[in-house]
Amino acid sequence: MEESGTTGEGRRLAAGAQCLIAFALSTILYVLAFPPLDSGETAFVFAAPIIIYGLFGKPARWEGLQLFGFGWLAWFILMSWLRHCTSSLEIPFAGIFGIFLTALLSLVLSLFWSSWCWITLKCVRWTKHDPVAYRLVLILGLAALWVVLEWLRGVIFTGLPWLPLSVSQWNRNFILQVVALTGGAGLSFVLIVFNFGVAYPVYTYWTNRRGSWMSRLSFELYLAMIVLVVSIGSGIYTAKFAQYPRVEGPKLGFVQPNAGVELKWDMERVNDNLKVLEDLSTYASYLGAELILWPESPTPLPLKGDYRMQQWAEDLSARLGIPILAGNIARENELDDNGNRWYNAVFTVHPETGLNSEDYYRKRRLVPFGEYIPLTGMIPFIDKFVPIDANFGKGESAEPISFNPDELDARKIGNLICYEDIFPPLARANTLEGANWHYVATNNAWFGEGAGAWQHAAHSILRAVETRRPVVRCGNAGWSGWIDEYGNIRHVMMDDSNSIYFQGVDAVKFSRCSYWSGRMSIYVQHGDWFVALSGALLLVIGFLGYWLKSPRRLPQA
């Protein structure tokens, strides 16, 4: 009995060690796939250790809890830049509070990752002895589940679709083109299927190593290869239009003030901040800029609602003889229906007509606890614990803004502010409204000088390919540059040390692919159809799996 107990305890320890190794390896591979490490190839194999463990290993204790812990760790590492967002708060232990918020958000994000891994583990064990057709259907179902969970993450809890799996391929142009057809969801689906295609051959070969060569064939690998080839082939087909001539647009002057978060709003430094903005804008005109770009809210006073600020901007544009596309703040005279008068906005300032204070873009997706306080209707006292200076109003329109559409068609601009470029439906709405290119005005100074700005910019590349519209970005601290319709980074501002975090200015010629002028990609036309298809596929496979594996259908002894 003692030997048996010892053996049993040894087996449990071995199972626990296998579990830890598999989960830790998957966590490492998942983190490696995204910026700043940018090993996108690991996205093709990150789940393979968990799948292989499910196929070979014995169930260990507390697997679900361990998966949740490793998922939390992965997201805490990926979101570690978030701790800087509280650095400017005048509260005790602001740094510790930032770490706490990072840990809390990582916990929420890990729920989706760990839930999928746990379900996958159970399903793989459940079907590993079933016919190959069952396993192939299971793979498609679990890939569809990943797609649905990513979509849910962008909808519930105010929505945060940060770093979907597809973003790991942001600089792998050959595989990225399929998102013009399916959106990012289709690319995530392909990557998940390929993870199974890597894991199952290991199991098939090992369990049939003494059998015939036919028995060692892995149909799961063939399924993965077919899905990959189809996605790349369809993407290449839509990318063939890159050979069409390009339409020249304005020479863009990127103004990157690199103003610290706390310094920009210091009323005692208003003149200093404006002097920096003026000097950089003037230098952009010397470089030949035909359109000057300002990032999100570079001035300490609202461009609309403060006459002095408006006059200053209009005088600058008139003196330079160059229009300005300005991220800024609007303060309306009258309250809207929700009692708000403030908006995070993008304006046009023309050297002849001045500020267009009527047709400006209002931010549609606000930052919770930064621009508004959620749940105030359900928890009336929450604003006492999370004080912000003003609730911002929410914009509704995706209508592009322009300077002179009769003069230059390329100036019909769809706008995205701050983190709006991580939400695919917003860029799609811009395109449906007639935008010829997207402008992202952001302030990445909140993120510190870590991975935040690079992760943020990676989403813009997917928006460019999905909509087949160039994306131009201007950040307060970085990433400033532009991306063409096929996900190619045409320009990014860097200093002599190849850093994006610096104060500077640059002027770069901008162009558009003539083929996509007036044309819409499949994704823009039909939206998240692939998510809907994945949801339907998941329901059908889930029902069939339950029905076929139900004890009532098993043969009676």
Side-chain angles (χ1 to χ4, degrees), residues 70-378:
F70 277 103
W72 172 84
L73 177 62
W75 277 103
F76 185 82
I77 295 171
L78 290 171
M79 302 294 289
S80 59
W81 51 264
L82 188 65
R83 71 189 189 277
H84 297 292
C85 292
T86 62
S87 60
S88 63
L89 298 180
E90 296 181 359
I91 59 174
F93 308 108
I96 296 176
F97 183 54
I99 294 174
F100 170 76
L101 288 180
T102 305
L104 183 62
L105 181 60
S106 302
L107 184 148
V108 174
L109 294 174
S110 68
L111 288 173
F112 301 91
W113 189 89
S114 55
S115 295
W116 182 86
C117 291
W118 184 80
I119 292 171
T120 295
L121 198 58
K122 297 297 182 182
C123 289
V124 164
R125 287 173 175 155
W126 194 32
T127 60
K128 66 180 180 179
H129 298 302
D130 286 346
V132 65
Y134 281 41
R135 299 200 302 268
L136 296 179
V137 172
L138 172 72
I139 291 172
L140 297 176
L142 289 172
L145 175 63
W146 180 280
V147 168
V148 171
L149 288 175
E150 281 196 335
W151 177 81
L152 284 174
R153 182 155 63 85
V155 175
I156 63 176
F157 302 132
T158 75
L160 186 64
W162 191 271
L163 294 186
L165 189 60
S166 53
V167 168
S168 66
Q169 306 305 304
W170 70 286
N171 55 0
R172 271 71 176 174
N173 194 271
F174 74 99
I175 195 174
L176 200 59
Q177 304 308 313
V178 71
V179 305
L181 305 174
T182 63
L187 182 51
S188 292
F189 184 92
V190 172
L191 293 171
I192 291 297
V193 171
F194 203 88
N195 273 269
F196 285 97
V198 171
Y200 268 96
V202 177
Y203 176 73
T204 302
Y205 180 83
W206 182 257
T207 53
N208 298 288
R209 62 191 181 279
R210 295 181 181 176
S212 65
W213 67 270
M214 286 285 292
S215 66
R216 294 196 294 270
L217 296 177
S218 173
F219 290 94
E220 294 84 358
L221 175 59
Y222 301 145
L223 173 65
M225 295 303 298
I226 290 171
V227 170
L228 181 63
V229 169
V230 168
S231 65
I232 293 176
S234 60
I236 291 175
Y237 174 78
T238 63
K240 70 179 182 180
F241 306 114
Q243 300 173 2
Y244 277 66
R246 301 194 66 82
V247 178
E248 291 294 325
K251 191 172 185 179
L252 304 175
F254 297 90
V255 172
Q256 191 168 282
N258 197 23
V261 174
E262 67 284 350
L263 297 178
K264 187 176 69 172
W265 304 108
D266 187 347
M267 291 299 102
E268 295 181 359
R269 298 175 59 91
V270 169
N271 291 333
D272 293 338
N273 290 331
L274 294 182
K275 183 66 166 60
V276 169
L277 195 59
E278 179 180 5
D279 290 345
L280 293 175
S281 300
T282 302
Y283 188 57
S285 71
Y286 292 155
L287 295 177
E290 299 170 317
L291 174 61
I292 293 175
L293 307 176
W294 286 357
E296 179 185 9
S297 307
T299 66
L301 299 171
L303 199 55
K304 179 178 181 179
D306 188 293
Y307 176 76
R308 297 166 300 171
M309 191 72 259
Q310 177 179 340
Q311 189 66 50
W312 179 87
E314 290 177 340
D315 289 346
L316 177 61
S317 177
R319 188 168 69 252
L320 299 178
I322 303 172
I324 300 172
L325 186 59
N328 217 284
I329 301 297
R331 186 183 66 207
E332 294 287 358
N333 293 327
E334 298 180 0
L335 300 177
D336 65 12
D337 294 338
N338 296 316
N340 302 312
R341 69 169 74 243
W342 295 86
Y343 293 92
N344 200 346
V346 174
F347 295 93
T348 58
V349 185
H350 195 275
E352 296 180 2
T353 58
L355 175 72
N356 188 339
S357 60
E358 298 301 324
D359 298 327
Y360 66 91
Y361 172 74
R362 299 168 175 85
K363 188 179 181 186
R364 289 165 285 170
R365 196 82 184 210
L366 304 179
V367 178
F369 303 109
E371 294 171 322
Y372 80 105
I373 304 175
L375 305 177
T376 51
M378 300 174 59

